[in-house]
Amino acid sequence: MSEPMGCFATPQAAEDAFYDALEAGDLSAMMAVWADSAASCCLLPMLPLAVGAPQIERLWQTLFAHGHGFELQIAHRLWIEQDDYAVHLVEEQPLATPQPPPLYALHVFTRTDTGWRLLVHQNSPTPPPAPAWIGSGQTAVA
């Protein structure tokens, strides 16, 4: 049995609802996942930063305007979960032909009075291969 819209008992339940809404192209379901906070933000490649629910809703409304969503295969890469916040790093592989390179998404969730909500969603394109010095113990600023 699925949870009522907007009542997410865990960060994973909120993340699953995000990807279900994304795949369905369902704006109402997408917005039910987001925290009602002026600090909520969504940053997608090649698009301006959307901050706050009205801007986030306009962003997804524009993306869903063609009447369909986005089908992705998700691989979890890192989870950090504490009492009131959680951070998930996932690899998003678009299911398209020809298959494009994956995107990487960072999700920050916050616990609210009505369950877990998405506070930040950021996508990044596939990074280039790491330079040789990454494994040498040097830092980017040294």
Side-chain angles (χ1 to χ4, degrees), residues 1 8 20 27 32 41 43 60-61 82 100 103 108 111 124 132 138:
M1 185 168 143
F8 308 111
D20 289 347
L27 183 60
C41 63
L43 182 59
W60 289 107
Q61 184 175 39
Q82 300 295 319
L103 297 170
V108 178
R111 186 193 305 265
S124 299
Q138 295 178 347

Side-chain angles (χ1 to χ4, degrees), residues 22 27 30 34 42 56-64:
L22 184 64
L27 183 60
M30 174 60 75
W34 285 88
C42 184
I56 292 169
E57 185 169 13
R58 279 193 299 276
L59 170 70
W60 289 107
Q61 184 175 39
T62 300
L63 292 173
F64 294 157

Side-chain angles (χ1 to χ4, degrees), residues 7-31:
C7 297
F8 308 111
T10 65
Q12 185 59 56
E15 189 169 78
D16 290 345
F18 172 85
Y19 285 113
D20 289 347
L22 184 64
E23 185 173 336
D26 185 333
L27 183 60
S28 294
M30 174 60 75
M31 294 313 298

Side-chain angles (χ1 to χ4, degrees), residues 105-128:
L106 178 73
H107 296 137
V108 178
F109 299 94
T110 185
R111 186 193 305 265
T112 70
D113 293 339
T114 58
W116 287 90
R117 294 283 195 275
L118 183 60
L119 188 62
V120 176
H121 171 78
Q122 181 202 351
N123 275 100
S124 299
T126 301

